[in-house]
Amino acid sequence: MPGSISREQAAHVARLARLDLTDDELERYTEQLGAVLEHAADVEALELADVPPTTHPYPLANVLRDDVVRPGVDRDEVLAQAPAAEDGRFRVPPILGEAP
Amino acid sequence: MSSTETALGIAGGVRAGRRSARDVLEEHLERIEAREPELHAFNLVVADEARVAADEVDRRVAAGDDPGPLAGVPIALKDNLCTRGIPTTCSSRILEGWRPPYTATAVQRVVAAGAVVVGKTNLDEFAMGSSTENSAFGPTRNPHDPTRVPGGSSGGSAAAVAAGFAPLALGSDTGGSIRQPAALCGVVGVKPTYGLVSRYGLVAFASSLDQIGPFARTVADAAALFEVIAGHDPRDSTSIPGPPPEVSLALDEGVAGLRVGLLAELRDGIAPDVLARVDEAATALEAAGATVEVVSVPAVTYGLSAYYLIAPAEASSNLARYDGVRYGLRVDAADTAAMNAATREAGFGAEVKRRIMLGTYALSAGYYDAYYGKAQRVRTLITRDFARAYEQVDLLVSPATPTTAFPLGEKTSDPLSMYLSDVCTIPTNLAGHAAVSVPFGTGTDGLPVGVQLLAPAMGEARMFRAAAVLEAAAPAGEELR
């Protein structure tokens, strides 16, 4: 059936999206995603190979600003919003699976 | 009665020194105090900051300065517009407590025009929803009937204007999030042409669809606010260069000679009482000198499907930035990847996760062409069909919503039924065009009905002209309970 997706597919998508879903959520989203994709079957069924895609409603290309030095946002103000910061940088847990 | 006082009336009085901005503010704060506990239009009321701003407006008037076209007018801001130093939550736990280090261009412009910010309004989390029930901080209620939703996602802004908390508000419209709540709350709501209002400082939902726009109780007030916020901004690379349309001067030009099309495809599935008001509106435009014919824009029937692939796809990409590293919530875990996933699981609500799942799926290997790619081609079809219609007519008219305001809880368990409430508004966003919802009488339940006027890109002047005609011809609505 067009649109329907499996729980395994949904779990894969959750991993891609970095969402640590519960079993209940996974079940619910599997079902609800299937329903939305089923609704989208009208679009999926269209033959549109010769229609160009629209990525943006107002086509502007190569929008550049003048290359001049100007003040950015204040670093300390930005770092003060971080869950953890140290020595002027954002602090995160280990990224390679072993403690530093 | 002061709750129906217009923004232009207030600004005129303040600029001329007949009224003080501080007195205007205190009247509005009193109304907020009286009804806000029941309605929950705001995530945050900034009374102290507003008093400082109002006093500054009065000081400037006393010194002989002109504070600007919105002098002393209280304004409410949707809580996805960044305000430096003032919390901006997007009604999400993941941003709770965040104070942006910069201010949105649209907000800077209204403040520079003399408006006084009274608070940040409630919304569906990250603007994803049509009822303001998807807020992490609880729903907003419709001022006309608190058992009903105000619409969404800018439900707090619509309710604030309808309840007299502020004569003006800003919202954002990605698939109808200004026009749909404006219709359900009986106020004017404008979705400007894509690129006319800078998106700098608007927290991104679906970047190729998002647009900031005005809420007001009158068409003239909405036009005045539109003119303040529209215009090129070098900080938004999608901002249209050149001057925006002038609309206020055109307001009383009427519609004689304009060709208006009744949009044929947006009639199926619309409640009969809403459709009756749309037909009355068309008759009113005809009586004012426009010609009216039925016009077909066939591809809009694919609008809902295309939108619910494109918007979640862009959202899933935009929302990747909420990773617990730089701002907002962090849920600790042994490594960064686990911290990201735990933070996002705890910080996002159900609808946001649903859209991220849908968008990630639509963009993932093997499905991109079938879903996201197809939807973007449908977007071209819709734009082409609109272009063909606008060879025949100057404006299109349709319902803004399929029904009047629905009861809280009615659609929360069935996402698809909630998505359907945006069916009339979505095509405009996909095409990047302009549209407005104008209050036009009530349904059989006594609740407001909104009639939508659609115009091609940069067609705001004729759109506002027709809106003013509809406003003058609107059947008397029910007074607020």
Side-chain angles (χ1 to χ4, degrees):
Chain A
M1 181 165 122
S4 69
I5 76 166
S6 68
R7 192 187 162 94
E8 288 66 36
Q9 281 175 303
H12 174 65
V13 169
R15 270 193 304 278
L16 292 177
R18 294 263 164 100
L19 286 171
D20 199 1
L21 297 181
T22 64
D23 286 349
D24 280 358
E25 282 178 313
L26 200 55
E27 190 143 330
R28 199 160 63 244
Y29 290 143
T30 302
E31 189 184 314
Q32 290 173 343
L33 257 57
V36 175
L37 294 173
E38 207 175 301
H39 190 272
D42 59 345
V43 162
E44 200 196 350
L46 290 171
E47 189 43 66
L48 297 172
D50 55 348
V51 178
T54 297
T55 53
H56 238 264
Y58 191 85
L60 287 166
N62 300 331
V63 178
L64 303 172
R65 65 167 171 79
D66 291 337
D67 187 18
V68 291
V69 178
R70 49 180 193 167
V73 292
D74 184 79
R75 189 179 74 167
D76 291 338
E77 191 177 345
V78 171
L79 285 172
Q81 299 294 321
E86 194 177 302
D87 297 335
R89 292 168 225 167
F90 298 110
R91 184 182 166 87
V92 294
I95 56 168
L96 296 176
E98 66 179 41
Chain B
M1 194 183 126
S2 52
S3 75
T4 56
E5 198 173 10
T6 66
L8 288 172
I10 290 170
V14 170
R15 290 167 100 176
R18 288 194 306 272
R19 322 197 38 185
S20 87
R22 180 63 183 266
D23 287 349
V24 171
L25 173 67
E26 295 299 339
E27 284 167 21
H28 285 84
L29 290 175
E30 273 170 32
R31 279 199 289 273
I32 292 171
E33 204 171 315
R35 267 200 103 184
E36 170 62 10
E38 174 195 18
L39 299 178
H40 186 221
F42 288 101
N43 285 339
L44 180 69
V45 175
V46 290
D48 292 341
E49 291 89 341
R51 287 185 175 107
V52 170
D55 288 347
E56 172 64 12
V57 167
D58 288 331
R59 193 196 58 72
R60 290 183 58 192
V61 172
D65 290 349
D66 181 0
L70 303 179
V73 180
I75 189 166
L77 305 175
K78 187 176 184 178
D79 201 15
N80 61 355
L81 289 161
C82 288
T83 43
R84 186 172 184 186
I86 295 172
T88 296
T89 68
C90 295
S91 289
S92 180
R93 294 274 176 217
I94 213 159
L95 274 175
E96 216 173 11
W98 180 55
R99 291 169 188 267
Y102 59 94
T103 296
T105 297
V107 176
Q108 285 180 358
R109 289 193 183 190
V110 298
V111 169
V116 173
V117 173
V118 292
K120 306 293 294 284
T121 59
N122 198 12
L123 63 149
D124 287 297
E125 186 177 355
F126 285 106
M128 297 177 188
S130 312
S131 67
T132 317
E133 290 167 293
N134 296 333
S135 166
F137 311 126
T140 296
R141 290 168 183 274
N142 192 313
H144 294 270
D145 177 353
T147 68
R148 308 266 171 159
V149 302
S153 67
S154 315
S157 286
V161 171
F165 295 170
L168 298 177
L170 288 179
S172 64
D173 190 313
T174 304
S177 282
I178 292 173
R179 290 159 289 158
Q180 189 258 15
L184 301 195
C185 288
V187 299
V188 179
V190 181
K191 198 298 252 188
T193 298
Y194 184 84
L196 272 184
V197 181
S198 170
R199 293 183 295 110
Y200 179 78
L202 168 67
V203 177
F205 163 13
S207 304
S208 78
L209 304 163
D210 297 341
Q211 192 65 186
I212 296 168
F215 285 95
R217 285 193 295 271
T218 69
V219 171
D221 280 359
L225 180 52
F226 167 80
E227 287 186 334
V228 166
I229 60 175
H232 183 251
D233 178 12
R235 287 179 297 189
D236 174 359
S237 64
T238 62
S239 173
I240 297 175
E246 285 186 17
V247 296
S248 288
L249 289 172
L251 271 184
D252 54 2
E253 284 179 14
V255 292
L258 278 190
R259 300 162 303 167
V260 175
L262 259 177
L263 214 167
E265 283 74 16
L266 294 181
R267 297 181 71 83
D268 275 358
I270 308 298
D273 55 342
V274 172
L275 216 47
R277 291 304 193 188
V278 174
D279 292 339
E280 274 177 63
T283 305
L285 292 170
E286 206 162 24
T291 59
V292 178
E293 59 190 298
V294 176
V295 172
S296 180
V297 186
V300 303
T301 53
Y302 298 110
L304 195 74
S305 295
Y307 176 86
Y308 277 100
L309 296 169
I310 292 170
E314 293 187 12
S316 73
S317 167
N318 276 326
L319 270 58
R321 70 187 56 154
Y322 303 101
D323 55 6
V325 173
R326 289 152 302 164
Y327 35 69
L329 185 73
R330 172 183 293 184
V331 175
D332 281 319
D335 61 63
T336 291
M339 180 275 283
N340 298 151
T343 298
R344 291 162 62 81
E345 168 64 10
F348 290 137
E351 181 62 27
V352 173
K353 289 180 202 168
R354 185 152 46 235
R355 305 257 186 134
I356 291 173
M357 289 286 289
L358 184 55
T360 305
Y361 179 79
L363 289 174
S364 64
Y367 302 101
Y368 181 96
D369 290 333
Y371 291 113
Y372 185 68
K374 273 270 171 70
Q376 284 195 309
R377 289 170 202 273
V378 167
R379 204 170 169 180
T380 306
L381 289 187
I382 290 172
T383 307
R384 282 180 185 171
D385 282 0
F386 268 123
R388 232 169 267 135
Y390 288 126
E391 285 169 12
Q392 284 178 65
V393 293
D394 301 303
L395 287 171
L396 292 164
V397 61
S398 83
T401 58
T403 64
T404 57
F406 45 90
L408 269 88
E410 186 184 271
K411 298 183 197 287
T412 43
S413 58
D414 180 5
L416 208 53
S417 76
M418 187 71 89
Y419 297 171
L420 279 165
S421 62
D422 294 333
V423 70
C424 302
T425 46
I426 278 171
T428 300
N429 300 79
L430 291 172
H433 291 171
V436 58
S437 176
V438 184
F440 200 80
T442 55
T444 49
D445 51 12
L447 292 166
V449 168
V451 169
Q452 182 175 226
L453 294 164
L454 303 90
M458 306 293 271
E460 272 85 354
R462 67 183 95 147
M463 182 180 90
F464 273 103
R465 277 164 62 191
V469 168
L470 286 189
E471 178 178 56
E478 193 196 26
E479 282 297 308
L480 274 186
R481 287 177 201 178

